C-alpha cells in the first residue's frame, strides 16, 4: 500500500493498495496502520466504522461536522462512486478547493478526508457500497449539510440524480454554511 498526497486539499491523502489477483478473484489490504502513521495520521484515532449502500444515481452529501470536525477514511468497497472533497477550513492554504475521485471496489483506493472538509459522493453503479472509518462517534447535533447542487460548488455530478435524502434536498447554500461555521 502506498500513500499519495492529494494536491488540491492540504492534509488529504489517497491510500492505494496493491491487490493480489488470481483465478479466484483478489485479496487486498484496505488499511495499514504503518502506512497511515507514516503520513502523520494517528491510526488509533478512529472510533467508528460505517457502511452505506446506494442505488445508481444517488447523491449523499455534501456533509461535514461543526465543532472539532470529523476526519475519515472513505473507500468504495463494492461498485463505483464519484467522490467529492471540498476544503472548508478558513485557515487552510487550500480553502474552498474541490477534488474529485472515482473510487471503486475494483481498486479499493481509500481517500482520507481531513476534519473541516465537506464530503459527498454519487453512486455510479447498482449498487455501490461505501465504507467509512471515522475518528469520533456520530453526534447528529453537529451535522452540517451543504446543497449538493449549489452553483458556487459547481460539482459536475456525472449522472442524473435519482435520489437524495430530505436533509440533502433541503440543505442550505455554501455561502450560508460558511457564515455559520465562522
Amino acid at each position: 500500500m502506498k500513500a499519495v498526497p492529494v494536491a488540491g486539499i492540504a492534509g488529504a491523502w489517497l491510500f492505494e493498495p496493491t491487490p493480489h489477483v488470481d483465478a479466484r478473484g483478489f485479496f487486498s489490504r484496505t488499511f495499514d496502520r504503518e502506512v497511515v502513521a507514516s503520513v502523520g495520521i494517528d491510526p488509533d484515532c478512529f472510533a467508528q466504522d460505517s457502511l452505506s449502500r446506494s442505488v445508481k444515481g444517488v447523491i449523499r452529501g455534501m456533509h461535514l461536522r461543526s465543532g472539532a470536525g470529523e476526519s475519515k477514511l472513505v473507500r468504495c468497497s463494492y461498485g463505483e462512486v464519484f467522490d467529492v472533497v471540498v476544503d472548508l477550513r478558513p485557515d487552510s492554504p487550500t480553502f474552498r478547493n474541490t477534488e474529485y475521485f472515482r473510487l471503486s471496489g475494483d481498486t479499493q483506493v481509500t481517500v482520507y478526508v481531513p476534519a473541516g472538509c465537506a464530503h459527498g459522493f454519487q453512486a455510479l453503479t447498482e449498487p455501490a457500497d461505501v465504507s467509512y472509518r471515522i475518528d469520533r462517534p456520530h453526534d447528529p447535533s453537529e451535522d452540517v449539510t451543504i446543497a449538493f447542487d449549489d452553483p458556487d460548488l459547481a460539482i459536475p455530478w456525472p449522472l442524473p440524480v435519482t435520489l437524495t435524502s430530505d436533509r440533502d434536498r433541503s440543505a442550505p447554500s455554501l455561502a450560508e454554511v460558511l457564515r455559520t461555521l465562522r
Side-chain angles (χ1 to χ4, degrees):
M1 175 175 283
K2 69 177 179 178
V4 179
V6 174
I9 308 281
W13 291 87
L14 290 177
F15 294 97
E16 298 176 350
T18 306
H20 301 281
V21 180
D22 63 23
R24 300 168 295 168
F26 73 87
F27 172 85
S28 183
R29 181 180 307 131
T30 60
F31 180 80
D32 186 317
R33 69 178 287 108
E34 290 181 15
V35 175
V36 169
S38 75
V39 298
I41 300 168
D42 177 5
D44 295 326
C45 76
F46 297 101
Q48 177 180 308
D49 282 357
S50 299
L51 175 71
S52 69
R53 173 166 285 168
S54 301
V55 297
K56 187 175 183 178
V58 163
I59 290 179
R60 293 182 185 258
M62 299 296 297
H63 303 151
L64 70 152
R65 292 282 180 79
S66 62
E70 167 186 87
S71 62
K72 54 190 165 189
L73 294 166
V74 179
R75 175 176 55 90
C76 181
S77 52
Y78 183 85
E80 185 176 19
V81 299
F82 177 77
D83 197 79
V84 181
V85 178
V86 181
D87 189 343
L88 296 180
R89 301 167 293 174
D91 57 345
S92 170
T94 55
F95 177 60
R96 293 197 59 173
N97 281 9
T98 303
E99 288 284 337
Y100 312 111
F101 310 94
R102 286 201 181 239
L103 302 179
S104 79
D106 290 339
T107 66
Q108 297 293 314
V109 169
T110 298
V111 63
Y112 174 73
V113 180
C117 292
H119 174 260
F121 67 86
Q122 183 176 43
L124 301 178
T125 57
E126 186 81 44
D129 290 351
V130 174
S131 301
Y132 309 83
R133 181 164 279 185
I134 303 166
D135 71 345
R136 62 193 188 107
H138 181 243
D139 179 352
S141 72
E142 295 181 334
D143 287 349
V144 176
T145 306
I146 300 165
F148 66 88
D149 56 355
D150 186 301
D152 284 342
L153 291 175
I155 298 169
W157 301 108
L159 299 176
V161 179
T162 58
L163 288 169
T164 61
S165 68
D166 290 340
R167 171 183 160 201
D168 291 345
R169 204 172 18 267
S170 62
S173 70
L174 174 62
E176 291 172 89
V177 168
L178 286 176
R179 281 193 295 275
T180 65
L181 289 177
R182 293 185 178 173

